[in-house]
Amino acid sequence: MPSGRGSWVARNVAASLTGRDLESYKHHDLGFLVDLGGTKAAANPLHIPLAGIAAKTVTRGYHLLSLPGNRTRTATDWALNTIMPPRAVQLGLVDAGRVPLECTSPAPITSDVN
């Protein structure tokens, strides 16, 4: 018998239509992984609480293995980012003076009431 959530829903829908008892559902997870940036992370894989560098390592490893491709490039990028400053192409690193805007003052508000 399938044990997925979809089959559980289907059995409960069929049971409710035929007047049978419904099956209760209990979710089983494998924990959580949260990368908080820098050296901060929180993880609870297989319900083993981790924090800091250990959690960061597990979180990055999981995310790396979850990628469909470009794992080598991503791992290299992460490694370089730990020893070098962020690249200048990242958002927020270009000062406002280098990005001229076409409009320097707000347009006057006009009312077109006929």
Side-chain angles (χ1 to χ4, degrees), residues 5 25-33 44-48:
R5 287 178 278 192
Y25 176 77
K26 178 163 176 31
H27 179 72
H28 301 280
D29 66 19
L30 296 175
F32 63 86
L33 302 165
N44 194 5
L46 304 174
H47 306 288
I48 301 168

Side-chain angles (χ1 to χ4, degrees), residues 64-86:
L64 194 63
L65 291 175
S66 298
L67 289 174
N70 290 329
R71 290 182 184 147
T72 304
R73 180 179 178 191
T74 303
T76 303
D77 189 45
W78 287 347
L80 289 174
N81 281 337
T82 61
I83 58 173
M84 298 175 71

Side-chain angles (χ1 to χ4, degrees), residues 7-17 20-25:
S7 59
W8 171 81
V9 169
R11 285 192 305 273
N12 274 343
V13 168
S16 69
L17 294 174
R20 292 181 288 147
D21 291 334
L22 302 179
E23 297 177 30
S24 60
Y25 176 77

Side-chain angles (χ1 to χ4, degrees), residues 47-103:
H47 306 288
I48 301 168
L50 300 172
I53 299 296
K56 182 75 158 194
T57 303
V58 170
T59 301
R60 287 278 174 105
Y62 172 79
H63 288 142
L64 194 63
L65 291 175
S66 298
L67 289 174
N70 290 329
R71 290 182 184 147
T72 304
R73 180 179 178 191
T74 303
T76 303
D77 189 45
W78 287 347
L80 289 174
N81 281 337
T82 61
I83 58 173
M84 298 175 71
R87 295 183 306 268
V89 295
Q90 291 179 336
L91 295 176
L93 298 179
V94 179
D95 59 281
R98 296 182 62 189
V99 184
L101 299 176
E102 291 180 19
C103 176

Side-chain angles (χ1 to χ4, degrees), residues 105-111:
S105 62
I109 299 174
T110 59
S111 175

